[in-house]
């Protein structure tokens, strides 16, 4: 059976920094993997040599292409919603598009951010998670985006939804981060040698200089990734899981 995984992110570099280990594990299992990035990352404060927002967007998409190749991602898409202001985008539009892609690609697993916004508490991350969560639940329901069904798509209910979780924060708002609620974890992935491959994918995002800014954090925490099983069919079965794909049966 061909396993399928979809990862919904906000910016180029989220796929490697937030989900790189899981994507590598999925690739190693022979899974079909999709990354959907909701913005081009054109509002980033780290800009490399880019002289304009357009140059930065182009550079970041090129970096994403390299990163996804390193991570063995089957396909990626960059949607042009407003970077840094995703909360102002049309959530109905984002969710409808995500439902369409879920009905087309039929992922068993969906990965995204929780409402905390990840280790840097980024609002764009949280919004990506809101839309992905709604799409996860609604792609299998006939009362949402009925026009897609009329045009030939069929209902698809993914099996499991995971939120990224970390036991650290890298937010510049240190006092707020110290008391901010965070997404708990229900599963830990030990990356082993995949840690270095994930690092290569992170380093592909040259404009962001991630490793120059977060090398100490990566060396301390980069050997593992944590996720919360946020929703699943018969979730009680997965109380002590160690495998993202545990319990996936049928196509």
């Amino acid at each position: 059976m061909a396993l399928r995984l979809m990862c919904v992110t906000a910016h180029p570099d989220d796929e490697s920094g937030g989900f790189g280990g899981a994507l590598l594990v999925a690739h190693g299992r022979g899974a079909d993997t999709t990354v959907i990035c909701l913005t081009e990352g054109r509002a980033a404060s780290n800009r490399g040599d880019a002289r304009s927002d357009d140059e930065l967007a182009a550079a970041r998409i090129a970096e994403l292409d390299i990163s996804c190749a390193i991570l063995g991602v089957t396909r990626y898409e960059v949607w042009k919603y407003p970077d840094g202001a995703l909360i102002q985008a049309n959530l109905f539009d984002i969710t409808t598009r995500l439902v369409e892609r879920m009905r087309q690609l039929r992922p068993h697993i969906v990965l995204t951010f929780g409402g905390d916004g990840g280790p840097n508490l980024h609002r764009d991350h949280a919004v990506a998670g809101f839309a992905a969560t709604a799409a996860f639940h609604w792609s299998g329901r006939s009362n949402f985006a009925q026009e897609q069904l009329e045009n030939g798509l069929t209902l698809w209910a993914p099996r499991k939804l995971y939120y990224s979780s970390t036991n650290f924060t890298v937010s510049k708002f240190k006092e707020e981060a110290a008391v901010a609620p965070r997404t708990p974890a229900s599963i830990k992935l030990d990356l082993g040698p995949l840690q270095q491959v994930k690092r290569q994918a992170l380093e592909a995002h040259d404009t962001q200089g991630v490793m120059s800014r977060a090398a100490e954090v990566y060396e301390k925490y980069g050997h593992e990734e944590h996720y919360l099983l946020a929703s699943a069919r018969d979730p009680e079965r997965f109380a002590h899981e160690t495998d993202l794909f545990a319990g996936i049966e049928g196509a």
Side-chain angles (χ1 to χ4, degrees):
M1 181 191 74
L3 300 170
R4 299 181 293 275
L5 179 148
M6 178 179 289
C7 180
V8 180
T9 72
H11 316 104
D13 77 11
D14 292 342
E15 82 299 327
S16 51
F19 307 94
L23 288 167
L24 284 165
V25 169
H27 175 65
R29 294 279 293 272
D32 178 282
T33 54
T34 300
V35 169
I36 296 180
C37 182
L38 298 184
T39 83
E40 302 165 292
R42 60 172 54 235
S45 55
N46 297 289
R47 307 180 68 84
D49 297 327
R51 295 168 293 181
S52 68
D53 289 353
D54 287 344
E55 284 191 8
L56 179 60
R60 297 201 68 184
I61 293 172
E63 292 167 352
L64 177 63
D65 184 76
I66 297 171
S67 172
C68 284
I70 294 170
L71 297 173
V73 171
T74 307
R75 70 188 62 79
Y76 70 87
E77 302 175 10
V78 179
W79 297 355
K80 298 182 180 181
Y81 290 103
D83 181 27
L86 201 51
I87 190 64
Q88 298 175 28
N90 187 321
L91 187 62
F92 176 80
D93 181 67
I94 299 174
T95 303
T96 301
R97 291 180 67 182
L98 286 173
V99 164
E100 181 177 42
R101 294 306 277 145
M102 289 183 188
R103 289 172 175 172
Q104 291 169 335
L105 297 173
R106 305 171 80 80
H108 301 101
I109 305 294
V110 175
L111 305 180
T112 192
F113 291 103
D116 57 353
N120 61 348
L121 311 181
H122 201 302
R123 290 177 303 174
D124 281 357
H125 294 169
V127 176
F130 298 157
T133 299
F136 172 88
H137 289 288
W138 297 348
S139 63
R141 298 183 187 176
S142 59
N143 63 350
F144 187 79
Q146 293 175 328
E147 69 283 357
Q148 296 175 6
L149 305 176
E150 294 167 358
N151 290 331
L153 292 181
T154 56
L155 298 177
W156 178 255
R159 272 45 165 195
K160 299 162 81 173
L161 171 68
Y162 287 97
Y163 293 154
S164 174
S165 168
T166 62
N167 50 8
F168 63 92
T169 58
V170 291
S171 172
K172 61 184 178 181
F173 303 105
K174 297 187 182 301
E175 292 185 3
E176 297 172 18
V179 297
R182 297 204 309 268
T183 299
S186 61
I187 182 172
K188 180 178 72 172
L189 302 182
D190 291 309
L191 302 189
L194 295 180
Q195 178 182 358
Q196 294 307 313
V197 185
K198 175 179 174 175
R199 178 170 185 150
Q200 292 171 18
L202 267 169
E203 290 174 339
H205 294 280
D206 186 60
T207 60
Q208 301 309 292
V210 177
M211 293 312 303
S212 64
R213 293 183 289 112
E216 184 176 345
V217 171
Y218 190 77
E219 289 304 318
K220 184 175 182 179
Y221 298 106
H223 62 287
E224 58 190 22
E225 286 182 358
H226 299 259
Y227 293 91
L228 171 69
L229 179 61
S231 189
R233 300 183 190 179
D234 303 319
E236 296 79 11
R237 293 186 298 150
F238 307 114
H240 304 289
E241 64 176 357
T242 57
D243 179 1
L244 294 174
F245 290 99
I248 301 301
E249 299 174 354

